[in-house]
Amino acid sequence: MKLLKPAFVHNQDRPIFSIDIHPKEPKFATGGQGNDSGSVIIWNLEPVLSEKAEMDPKVPKILCQIDNHLSCVNAVRWSSNGLMLASGADDKLIMIWKRFGGAGSNFGSSGMAKNVENWRCTSTLRGHSGDVLDLAWSPQDRWLASCSVDNSIIIWDAQAFPTIIATLKGHTGLVKGVTWDPVGKYIASQSDDRSVKIWKTSDWTIQNTITEPFEECGGTTHILRLSWSPDGQYLVSAHAMNGGGPTSQIIERDGWKCDKDFVGHRKAVTCVRFHNSILKKQSQKTNKTQQYCCLAIGSRDRCLSVWMTALQRPLLVIRDLFEDSILDLSWSSDGYTLLACSGDGTVACLQFTEDQLGKPLSDSDKNSLYQRMYGKDATLDLSTQAEKELIIESAELLNVVQDNKRGPPTLIPTTPKETSVAIAASNITKPPVPQISSSSVTTTTNSSPNKPILKQVETRRADGKRRITPMFIPLNSESSNTNAESTFSSSSQNRSQIVIESSSVQDSTEIQSTPTVISSVSKPTPTTEPLKLDTRLSFRDTPQKSQGSLASTSMASPATTTNVTQKSSVPIVRMNSGKAVALTGGQCVKIINDYRIQVINDAHKTNFGSLSRVVCMNVNQQQQVGDRKLWEVTVGSAVSSFSVCSKYVLIGAMDGSVRLIHIKSGMLVVPVLNQASPILLSGFSPNSLLGGIVTERALLCVWNVDKAKIHLRTSCVDVIDGNGFLNLFYVTDEGIPFVGTSAGSAYSYSVDLQSWMIVNSSDSLTRCGLHGSITNIKNMKSYPVATVQYISNSFQQKTKNPVEISDDVWEAQTKISFAEHQIQLCQLVNSPVELKYWYSNLGYYLASHGNEKKVRQVLDDLLGPIYSLENDAECRAKHKILNIDKHELLREVLTSFHSSTKWQRIYCEYTDQLNEMEAPKKKLKMDTS
């Protein structure tokens, strides 16, 4: 710890009654008596902390001096965002100061020197009939509280100065201190009438009056500055007595108990100030992390003490720090600097280290603590008064506070709760659900089942921490997702899944319920069905049958055939290190509609070399056996890749030749094409109009087969450099190619940009952005980006310690950046469904951690120019993305702001504008109908 007393910070031997450090910038304000008026001085903190800055004549020490108050200034307080400074004085006034551009000189400033910063009074608050002694800003700067010698507290509307919200009367003596509950539910005041009163912010009535610790108090102090702990659990008063000795009383939030206090000061305690953050430190004895609060206490005995709620003794005591009483205290925003001011007109600076105080809790940890204690986010003010204002601003937001927290949007809508049973089966006949011996499976929609199926045993220890004892879950059983429905718990179940497999069939029947309850439970007879390996564990190393829109060209048994659908065909090669090889086994047969195409490599040995055959058969059962063979093509080299669609067959060979054949007739569409290296991958677009190949030397070609023209020809060398080899190729209906590599990277080519666009990669931004967003989906026609990301992600190097999803600000900002990238990518690959999904995702993360500037930037872009859209039909026609009206996307984004109370005004503002702009359209539609 370092103690400094800067000589240049003084008030010419006149008392400094108040001090407060700016929450964002290195500056602090002091208030006291000037030459012939009250004085507010804004000081530069850098010369206080650095001797080099103090000696540098270019570094100003005083940033601004304000002498507008007519008499002594008793209190100065910065708003939590640092944009406003409030000062209260003996002239019965409160002045609100804001900074304006450039340097300036305020009216009444002492001396002729210009101020470095230009601070002007924007509001003067008149309401008290006596001296103003203390000020306090509420959480999120919603209100400003002032107390006075007129025995009252006034609550001012900080968003509409000088409006008075309420005047609190109940004290019978001078009110000398006021502080806000950080949760926003209460405000506390201390008075010369020997009491501390707790007021409710819901109706501004008295919740409790505490008098016992103050009954023995004799005499008085100039101020009685009490403080509330940042976790909201403790209120610590100024001057109290215990056994004839001065103390600082600890008042617990739970029942307002007063059985603890801070002792040791020889004279009355004048001021208390809690550290701005909840701190944590690892205990040396137990090696466990402790969470606690820290506070500083100043007294008339000129002594300063620093305490921690985790310790029974003070961390620090400094005696005779000043020559007069300590009158105010303030902690810096980083939490390691403490300033104290005194009646002798000087200031002391204490600098601590992280080892001495501990480390502040992160925003996510603080939010988790607030959610556990109070059921609210630490950054939101959810007092009853806030709810009332919410109702006034928009009836739609009436029940927002009571609603459960909305999770991130999902790409594919989930099954509604009304659907209690969903059966997933393959092309074979669906088997009946097997019965469990002496037990019956019943589905119900009761949110609190009497006997839910437990997947783990949870015990809660005395310190409030949970201990989970895991239970064995077979791989053929999928555990359910659980959502928090209780305010204080995140472990309540609201959905469960049971997977029952029958030994008579190879496909599993999945039964989903909401939730599922087993009734009549005795001792069920164990099933004899063998356990199956979870299919999710086999994707990287074992081949799979094609599912829906995904077709694999990996090695399989000779009896295996590949079913190809018209949605997509995504070849994946998992071996050979990027070298083309002749097709074998199951890779040689593909079926589409009534056509079965088979490749027979090295079918004939001739003097000139081996010949391969490609045979097309009709698999329609109505055809006679002799009529099933439709056509046969001979290829002069081994076939290394072939693809089929509803109209054409593409055959790529080891000699680099490419054949495009009509699937019905077997005739060539164009002459045999030649490439410089063997064909590695091939594929058709879902609409069967475009076909493409990738060669061993990373050349990519896409042809418009219908028009017999080249559509795209480019090199993939840039994307495989250092990324392994190509193992995935796909082309969309618009001719946009996707390629993937064995390292898990994926790219898409933009003709307009003449560049490859990143779809998936191993960089930290993409990994963090995709973490928690990867969807098990294989539908290239509707969700090309998500499908490619999912498939390529299976080749990514898996981390041993996966990152846990949290609400850290850095992670939310990363999600915002990634969502913006996904939006641009979806536009260029023409994927409207995914575009809407990522706009919803962007809205979700902006609502949780975005700033107002960024939020307005996104919303303004989607809202568009109001006048032009109302009067220009051409402008309205262009106000679309992928043929989706931007206003529709705006409503998707606003959905997330609808469930967040801190964005209520922005939600109402943009919703009103949107409704006003769409009103003429609705009227025109009604008139025409």
Side-chain angles (χ1 to χ4, degrees):
M1 192 274 294
K2 186 187 297 184
L3 173 62
L4 305 169
K5 290 196 71 176
F8 65 88
V9 182
H10 60 83
N11 196 28
Q12 299 178 357
D13 297 329
R14 291 184 291 268
I16 298 177
F17 286 103
S18 186
I19 191 168
D20 201 35
I21 302 178
H22 195 279
K24 308 287 185 182
E25 302 173 12
K27 65 179 71 170
F28 64 97
T30 59
Q33 178 64 50
N35 291 327
D36 54 1
S37 62
S39 175
V40 176
I41 302 178
I42 300 175
W43 304 82
N44 191 351
L45 186 59
E46 291 182 358
V48 176
L49 303 178
S50 169
E51 183 178 359
K52 182 179 179 181
E54 181 182 359
M55 302 304 295
D56 189 348
K58 297 181 180 179
V59 177
K61 296 179 175 61
I62 296 179
L63 301 178
C64 186
Q65 182 166 344
I66 307 167
D67 296 335
N68 287 33
H69 280 284
L70 301 178
S71 53
C72 181
V73 176
N74 297 310
V76 288
R77 290 292 182 263
W78 296 101
S79 60
S80 59
N81 58 18
L83 299 179
M84 293 182 285
L85 174 66
S87 59
D90 286 348
D91 57 8
K92 310 173 189 177
L93 302 177
I94 298 110
M95 292 187 178
I96 307 300
W97 307 88
K98 289 185 179 180
R99 184 181 176 182
F100 290 81
S105 177
N106 289 280
F107 176 77
S109 295
S110 58
M112 298 301 295
K114 289 186 177 180
N115 292 322
V116 176
E117 296 181 352
N118 184 14
W119 289 82
R120 299 178 189 172
C121 179
T122 58
S123 299
T124 301
L125 312 183
R126 297 176 173 86
H128 286 292
S129 58
D131 304 353
V132 178
L133 296 181
D134 201 14
L135 299 169
W137 294 88
S138 72
Q140 287 75 54
D141 301 332
R142 177 180 293 274
W143 302 302
L144 174 67
S146 61
C147 63
S148 168
V149 297
D150 62 6
N151 303 353
S152 70
I153 302 112
I154 295 181
I155 310 298
W156 308 86
D157 188 349
Q159 298 173 351
F161 286 130
T163 304
I164 295 177
I165 298 293
T167 300
L168 312 184
K169 296 182 178 180
H171 283 291
T172 57
L174 315 183
V175 185
K176 296 183 174 181
V178 64
T179 185
W180 289 91
D181 165 24
V183 183
K185 192 174 181 180
Y186 303 110
I187 181 174
S189 58
Q190 187 166 358
S191 168
D192 268 351
D193 62 6
R194 301 177 184 178
S195 73
V196 166
K197 291 186 182 294
I198 314 295
W199 311 77
K200 294 185 293 185
T201 59
S202 57
D203 54 9
W204 307 111
T205 58
I206 296 175
Q207 169 74 20
N208 204 349
T209 299
I210 300 161
T211 59
E212 183 181 356
F214 314 104
E215 292 175 351
E216 301 177 14
C217 293
T220 184
T221 61
H222 182 76
I223 38 89
L224 294 168
R225 290 189 165 119
L226 67 173
S227 183
W228 218 306
S229 64
D231 61 2
Q233 291 298 296
Y234 303 104
L235 172 65
V236 178
S237 75
H239 185 31
M241 297 291 287
N242 186 358
T247 66
S248 184
Q249 185 63 47
I250 302 173
I251 304 170
E252 296 185 40
R253 188 190 193 95
D254 184 13
W256 310 112
K257 294 181 292 187
C258 303
D259 53 1
K260 301 182 185 69
D261 48 22
F262 294 109
V263 299
H265 286 279
R266 299 186 300 269
K267 292 184 180 181
V269 173
T270 54
C271 53
V272 178
R273 193 74 176 262
F274 266 98
H275 192 285
N276 305 319
S277 304
I278 304 170
L279 303 171
K280 64 178 180 179
K281 181 188 286 188
Q282 194 169 18
S283 173
Q284 296 180 353
K285 294 182 179 179
T286 62
N287 204 28
K288 294 181 180 179
T289 301
Q290 288 182 311
Q291 292 183 0
Y292 51 89
C293 298
C294 175
L295 75 157
I297 299 176
S299 169
R300 289 181 61 189
D301 62 3
R302 301 172 295 164
C303 176
L304 174 68
S305 59
V306 178
W307 301 74
M308 293 182 178
T309 55
L311 301 176
Q312 295 182 351
R313 295 180 178 274
L315 175 70
L316 173 72
V317 177
I318 303 178
R319 301 189 181 278
D320 300 325
L321 181 59
F322 297 100
E323 296 179 2
D324 203 341
S325 301
I326 298 176
L327 297 177
D328 203 3
L329 303 160
S330 180
W331 292 92
S332 63
S333 57
D334 65 3
Y336 298 116
T337 301
L338 173 66
L339 295 184
C341 65
S342 169
D344 64 7
T346 63
V347 168
C349 174
L350 284 73
Q351 291 181 279
F352 297 91
T353 63
E354 183 177 315
D355 292 336
Q356 293 168 337
L357 290 187
K359 186 178 180 180
L361 237 59
S362 66
D363 291 338
S364 62
D365 290 339
K366 186 176 180 180
N367 285 338
S368 299
L369 180 68
Y370 269 57
Q371 287 286 353
R372 187 169 66 251
M373 289 182 172
Y374 310 112
K376 70 176 284 291
D377 191 291
T379 61
L380 296 183
D381 183 6
L382 299 186
S383 63
T384 306
Q385 180 67 23
E387 293 179 33
K388 291 179 181 178
E389 292 185 8
L390 200 65
I391 297 172
I392 295 172
E393 294 193 14
S394 174
E396 296 180 34
L397 307 180
L398 179 61
N399 297 318
V400 164
V401 178
Q402 288 78 17
D403 287 345
N404 290 331
K405 188 174 181 181
R406 181 175 178 267
T410 56
L411 181 58
I412 302 177
T414 56
T415 306
K417 289 187 176 182
E418 289 75 18
T419 306
S420 58
V421 178
I423 300 176
S426 63
N427 295 331
I428 64 173
T429 305
K430 298 177 183 178
V433 180
Q435 300 294 324
I436 300 177
S437 176
S438 69
S439 299
S440 61
V441 179
T442 307
T443 60
T444 177
T445 57
N446 183 6
S447 61
S448 300
N450 294 327
K451 297 177 182 179
I453 299 175
L454 299 177
K455 296 297 184 186
Q456 59 190 17
V457 177
E458 174 184 319
T459 56
R460 191 173 293 276
R461 301 186 340 199
D463 58 1
K465 294 184 177 179
R466 296 183 299 164
R467 181 175 293 278
I468 307 293
T469 303
M471 295 179 63
F472 173 74
I473 303 174
L475 288 177
N476 63 330
S477 174
E478 296 183 3
S479 59
S480 62
N481 297 326
T482 59
N483 295 325
E485 290 195 9
S486 171
T487 303
F488 302 100
S489 174
S490 59
S491 59
S492 59
Q493 288 186 337
N494 65 352
R495 183 174 180 267
S496 63
Q497 294 182 342
I498 302 176
V499 177
I500 302 175
E501 294 186 344
S502 173
S503 59
S504 61
V505 292
Q506 294 183 356
D507 293 273
S508 64
T509 302
E510 181 180 353
I511 301 177
Q512 299 179 353
S513 60
T514 316
T516 302
V517 181
I518 293 184
S519 60
S520 307
V521 178
S522 56
K523 290 186 178 180
T525 304
T527 59
T528 58
E529 300 159 359
L531 293 177
K532 293 183 179 180
L533 181 64
D534 191 329
T535 56
R536 293 171 296 179
L537 303 180
S538 63
F539 187 83
R540 282 179 63 86
D541 303 315
T542 61
Q544 294 181 337
K545 293 190 297 181
S546 62
Q547 300 179 5
S549 61
L550 181 65
S552 173
T553 62
S554 58
M555 295 295 291
S557 62
T560 305
T561 61
T562 303
N563 293 325
V564 181
T565 69
Q566 294 186 26
K567 278 189 176 180
S568 63
S569 177
V570 187
I572 300 175
V573 180
R574 294 185 175 83
M575 66 293 293
N576 306 325
S577 300
K579 299 293 183 181
V581 294
L583 297 179
T584 58
Q587 296 176 325
C588 294
V589 179
K590 292 184 180 180
I591 297 175
I592 181 170
N593 299 332
D594 293 336
Y595 304 101
R596 180 181 185 271
I597 296 91
Q598 182 175 3
V599 172
I600 306 170
N601 277 325
D602 298 330
H604 303 291
K605 302 290 185 180
T606 70
N607 294 333
F608 303 100
S610 298
L611 295 176
S612 299
R613 298 168 56 208
V614 179
V615 182
C616 179
M617 304 286 290
N618 191 320
V619 295
N620 192 330
Q621 298 296 330
Q622 297 179 356
Q623 295 281 345
Q624 296 183 6
V625 176
D627 298 332
R628 290 185 181 179
K629 182 176 178 179
L630 299 179
W631 51 264
E632 179 177 333
V633 172
T634 303
V635 181
S637 174
V639 176
S640 56
S641 176
F642 86 106
S643 299
V644 297
C645 67
S646 60
K647 298 174 66 175
Y648 306 105
V649 177
L650 188 154
I651 301 171
M654 292 292 296
D655 62 357
S657 63
V658 177
R659 289 167 173 81
L660 292 165
I661 301 171
H662 285 285
I663 196 169
K664 292 183 179 180
S665 64
M667 297 179 63
L668 287 171
V669 180
V670 295
V672 177
L673 306 177
N674 180 65
Q675 306 299 327
S677 60
I679 309 304
L680 181 65
L681 300 168
S682 62
F684 283 102
S685 63
N687 60 9
S688 303
L689 299 180
L690 302 171
I693 54 95
V694 177
T695 70
E696 193 176 272
R697 294 184 183 176
L699 176 68
L700 183 147
C701 293
V702 177
W703 297 280
N704 187 319
V705 186
D706 265 13
K707 296 181 179 180
K709 290 184 177 180
I710 186 70
H711 175 78
L712 173 67
R713 183 182 177 93
T714 188
S715 173
C716 304
V717 173
D718 291 342
V719 301
I720 62 173
D721 186 20
N723 283 325
F725 53 88
L726 293 174
N727 66 350
L728 181 147
F729 169 68
Y730 175 77
V731 60
T732 67
D733 288 343
E734 291 76 21
I736 301 170
F738 286 86
V739 296
T741 71
S742 58
S745 299
Y747 305 89
S748 179
Y749 190 78
S750 170
V751 177
D752 294 335
L753 299 175
Q754 292 289 301
S755 299
W756 287 97
M757 302 176 293
I758 297 176
V759 179
N760 196 359
S761 71
S762 58
D763 71 89
S764 55
L765 174 64
T766 306
R767 299 267 42 83
C768 181
L770 284 177
H771 187 68
S773 301
I774 287 288
T775 305
N776 186 353
I777 184 172
K778 302 168 188 174
N779 185 340
M780 289 295 295
K781 187 171 181 65
S782 300
Y783 311 104
V785 175
T787 302
V788 171
Q789 287 173 340
Y790 170 68
I791 295 173
S792 60
N793 197 65
S794 65
F795 299 98
Q796 287 277 355
Q797 184 72 30
K798 296 297 185 291
T799 57
K800 295 183 179 179
N801 299 314
V803 180
E804 295 183 358
I805 286 291
S806 66
D807 289 330
D808 284 340
V809 174
W810 69 266
E811 186 165 354
Q813 295 300 330
T814 303
K815 292 281 188 181
I816 291 173
S817 298
F818 183 73
E820 291 177 328
H821 162 75
Q822 292 287 92
I823 287 171
Q824 296 300 321
L825 182 61
C826 291
Q827 290 184 53
L828 289 177
V829 303
N830 196 19
S831 179
V833 177
E834 292 179 296
L835 179 72
K836 290 181 67 174
Y837 164 71
W838 282 107
Y839 261 113
S840 297
N841 247 302
L842 179 62
Y844 173 80
Y845 287 107
L846 284 175
S848 60
H849 286 88
N851 57 63
E852 184 174 349
K853 182 179 179 181
K854 182 65 176 179
V855 167
R856 289 189 178 276
Q857 181 182 1
V858 173
L859 298 183
D860 287 341
D861 175 66
L862 295 177
L863 184 65
I866 298 176
Y867 178 81
S868 298
L869 291 175
E870 288 179 348
N871 300 277
D872 190 344
E874 185 179 352
C875 183
R876 286 197 300 270
K878 292 181 179 179
H879 195 65
K880 293 182 179 181
I881 305 177
L882 299 185
N883 209 31
I884 303 174
D885 196 310
K886 284 189 175 183
H887 288 174
E888 182 180 345
L889 297 174
L890 177 58
R891 291 199 182 277
E892 288 284 338
V893 175
L894 286 174
T895 302
S896 297
F897 293 89
H898 171 265
S899 58
S900 178
T901 53
K902 76 174 182 178
W903 298 111
Q904 57 168 317
R905 296 190 173 181
I906 283 186
Y907 171 80
C908 294
E909 175 187 339
Y910 283 88
T911 301
D912 290 345
Q913 292 185 72
L914 193 57
N915 292 337
E916 184 178 347
M917 294 173 69
E918 293 182 347
K921 299 180 186 178
K922 295 180 179 178
K923 186 177 183 300
L924 180 62
K925 187 176 181 179
M926 291 177 62
D927 293 342
T928 54
S929 60

